[in-house]
Amino acid sequence: MSNAPEQVPELITHYIGGEHVPSAGGQTFGVLDPATNTEYTRAAAGQAADVDRAVAAAAEAFRDSGWADMRNRARAGVLNRIADGIEARGEQIAPWESFDTGLPISQVEQQAKRAAENFRFFADLIVVQTEEAYRVADVQLNYVVRKPKGVAGLITPWNTPFMLESWKLAPALASGCTVVLKPAEWSPLSVSLLPEIFAEAGVPAGVFNIVHGIGEQAGDALVRHPDVPVLSFTGETATGQVIMRNAADGLKGLSMELGGKSPNIIFADADLDAALDSAIFGVFSLNGERCTAGSRVLVHRSIYADFVRQLGERAARFKVGPPGDKSTELGALIHPEHFDKVIGHVAKAEAEGARLVTGGKRPDHLPDGNFLEPTVFADVTPEHTLFREEVFGPVVAVTPFDDEAEAVRLANDTKYGLAAYVWTNDLKRGLRVANQVEAGMLWLNSHNIRDLRTPFGGIKASGVGHEGGTRSIDFYTDQRIVHAWIADGGLPRFGGTQ
């Protein structure tokens, strides 16, 4: 049986117009504990009618609640109170997140702090926000006015859901938008804590709304809704393509962070201990279910054999266990469907001739749930499916290269372009490679450590647009220019004679 944390609701409801409500038609779906695949609660399954209610509530709040017109400092005060409420519930958020997602508790204990920091960051940003002005001598003054776009549709993924929900909610609300959030159906638990936090912080009813449900139903209805002018989505590339097609008729503003198959390039002169640690972190932390995972490790041939050996030895020592155990390093994958997908990639890699170094199967001591050993494949070539397709699990492909040009060619030999990592002590080479690798974000001699001021997003099949820092505010606001003629006369005349 599932060992659910205390206070888990028997039904996770929608939150619309400041009230917890079931689906209009009464539909629900079961939510599974990844460690046992036992249904531990049910959630309201939103349909088009529920999305209509939520969008109507958000539109009314945008028009009448005063949120959109609130002074930035006052709105920042609300965001900081949201952050306070999140931090106060940190000891509840972490076990709920770990239980619902299968992520090791030790790796989600900081999620509340990271989520709170997202709200504090955007609270600070809007207080110091400026609007541009351009003066043309003494005859014309041109100035920019920012206005929130309206109802923002936010569709979030199932990996680290609480933090990623805050990543979208904070800038959308800071900008003055009202929101309808559609969380991922596989991990709806932790977001159910937000309504109480937001109400306590003073967010007006209708400004923040949640509609749970299946993507093809609730998500699609949100994407197509004519009163939602702006959409932010994080998820797989195929879903992003569907969203783009379905949003086209409404000419909606889109920001989409999509799939990745990110390269981690390790040259022979790198700090190999640090590079090895980073490679392990990049593909095995968070169960490998991370968008920026360095899942293709490209290693210079002179150090290749030794690096593969060490990587395999380290991976084989990982403790795979129950997500709630503090000593667990790799927990359970999110859902049996995803587990089957990942295992399918492992089987295909073996069938295509990639060399299995370690892992590739369920641990003997964990017969139930979605557990998989950390898996290392070596001698992976561009002809292997594992080199090209996103796995989103604890599976890494290692490939040798002979020189810098080949490293860059292999790194770019993918439809994706989200993240990349380069390890070398030759700064000139590091900067050369950084400029040539096709990725929206690149870390040189570092793994995924982010500054919230910087743009986040991918290129190619990894996304459309960037968020982060001022770019997020730009996305959720319209910038309107006012041209004011301030001179006495002097405007050019058209037609006729004088």
Side-chain angles (χ1 to χ4, degrees):
M1 294 293 292
S2 177
N3 185 26
E6 295 181 359
Q7 299 179 310
V8 167
E10 293 183 4
L11 175 66
I12 299 174
T13 58
H14 308 308
Y15 185 69
I16 298 175
E19 297 181 351
H20 294 274
V21 295
S23 291
Q27 299 93 333
T28 64
F29 63 91
V31 186
L32 303 182
D33 161 15
T36 65
N37 286 331
T38 302
E39 182 179 307
Y40 72 90
T41 190
R42 298 193 68 80
Q47 309 296 312
D50 303 295
V51 172
D52 286 344
R53 281 194 297 165
V55 173
E60 181 181 358
F62 184 77
R63 184 178 63 248
D64 299 332
S65 72
W67 182 256
D69 300 319
M70 188 180 291
R71 293 194 176 207
N72 283 0
R73 186 171 291 279
R75 200 183 300 126
V78 177
L79 296 182
N80 277 314
R81 290 195 293 274
I82 291 173
D84 292 341
I86 290 172
E87 288 179 337
R89 291 166 175 81
E91 292 185 1
Q92 183 179 16
I93 292 168
W96 281 29
E97 188 92 325
S98 174
F99 174 79
D100 195 31
T101 63
L103 296 173
I105 184 70
S106 62
Q107 295 175 33
V108 297
E109 286 180 322
Q110 300 301 312
Q111 293 298 304
K113 290 184 179 179
R114 291 187 64 189
E117 176 57 24
N118 286 330
F119 282 97
R120 296 199 194 284
F121 173 83
F122 284 103
D124 291 343
L125 189 62
I126 59 171
V127 168
V128 299
Q129 179 179 293
T130 60
E131 294 175 335
E132 299 162 291
Y134 309 89
R135 187 172 63 87
V136 181
D138 292 321
V139 297
Q140 189 175 43
L141 177 66
N142 313 296
Y143 61 94
V144 175
V145 178
R146 284 186 182 269
K147 296 288 185 179
K149 287 186 176 179
V151 179
L154 312 179
I155 303 176
T156 52
W158 45 258
N159 59 319
T160 60
F162 194 86
M163 192 277 291
L164 291 176
E165 286 151 1
S166 73
W167 201 339
K168 296 184 186 296
L169 286 166
L173 293 172
S175 300
C177 289
T178 57
V179 301
V180 177
L181 170 66
K182 209 298 282 184
E185 55 265 32
W186 284 353
S187 54
L189 180 59
S190 58
V191 74
S192 64
L193 296 170
L194 286 179
E196 182 179 41
I197 294 171
F198 278 41
E200 289 177 356
V203 177
V207 168
F208 167 64
N209 305 274
I210 305 173
V211 177
H212 293 281
I214 310 304
E216 292 82 357
Q217 299 167 4
D220 187 59
L222 184 59
V223 168
R224 294 175 183 271
H225 203 288
D227 295 329
V228 178
V230 60
L231 293 160
S232 178
F233 168 74
T234 298
E236 64 181 1
T237 298
T239 305
Q241 291 170 325
V242 172
I243 288 174
M244 180 171 279
R245 284 193 291 268
N246 293 346
D249 287 346
L251 297 175
K252 297 175 185 287
L254 293 175
S255 176
M256 299 195 293
E257 185 230 309
L258 306 176
K261 193 70 179 177
S262 300
N264 187 353
I265 306 171
I266 301 172
F267 287 94
D269 68 336
D271 180 336
L272 295 182
D273 287 338
L276 179 63
D277 285 340
S278 184
I280 289 167
F281 170 85
V283 77
F284 296 137
S285 64
L286 300 179
N287 296 346
E289 297 166 328
R290 56 186 312 142
C291 55
T292 54
S295 56
R296 289 186 300 140
V297 179
L298 312 178
V299 184
H300 191 271
R301 196 175 299 277
S302 65
I303 60 170
Y304 177 76
D306 187 54
F307 191 92
V308 168
R309 176 186 60 79
Q310 291 191 60
L311 180 61
E313 290 173 352
R314 287 277 296 273
R317 294 197 297 268
F318 259 64
K319 180 174 180 182
V320 185
D325 186 332
K326 289 265 191 179
S327 65
T328 290
E329 295 173 302
L330 199 152
L333 299 183
I334 182 76
H335 193 274
E337 287 182 23
H338 185 60
F339 177 80
D340 290 344
K341 173 189 170 185
V342 175
I343 284 290
H345 277 291
V346 171
K348 192 166 190 177
E350 290 190 275
E352 291 179 352
R355 175 163 60 94
L356 179 63
V357 178
T358 190
K361 61 182 178 63
R362 174 190 295 278
D364 294 336
H365 66 289
L366 294 165
D368 301 314
N370 308 314
F371 294 96
L372 177 66
E373 294 174 341
T375 301
V376 178
F377 279 99
D379 306 341
V380 179
T381 71
E383 289 68 43
H384 290 130
T385 303
L386 188 63
F387 188 90
R388 302 200 166 278
E389 292 189 8
E390 183 176 41
V391 176
F392 219 66
V395 181
V396 62
V398 192
T399 302
F401 67 85
D402 289 306
D403 55 30
E404 181 180 317
E406 185 181 18
V408 171
R409 179 180 61 78
L410 288 169
N412 292 340
D413 191 7
T414 173
K415 67 180 180 180
Y416 296 109
L418 185 58
Y421 308 86
V422 177
W423 287 87
T424 177
N425 279 324
D426 183 337
L427 181 60
K428 290 182 179 179
R429 174 164 57 195
L431 296 177
R432 273 198 314 272
V433 172
N435 287 335
Q436 295 177 69
V437 171
E438 297 166 352
M441 302 171 287
L442 185 141
W443 282 267
L444 178 58
N445 295 331
S446 170
H447 49 241
N448 187 358
I449 299 172
R450 281 202 61 231
D451 181 332
L452 291 177
R453 296 171 296 179
T454 60
F456 186 97
I459 60 175
K460 298 162 67 172
S462 287
V464 174
H466 288 79
E467 296 185 35
T470 57
R471 290 163 182 81
S472 291
I473 304 299
D474 290 343
F475 176 67
Y476 290 108
T477 57
D478 287 322
Q479 298 181 56
R480 308 174 189 176
I481 182 70
V482 176
H483 302 279
W485 190 263
I486 57 176
D488 292 329
L491 283 170
R493 302 189 67 178
F494 175 75
T497 58
Q498 299 297 324

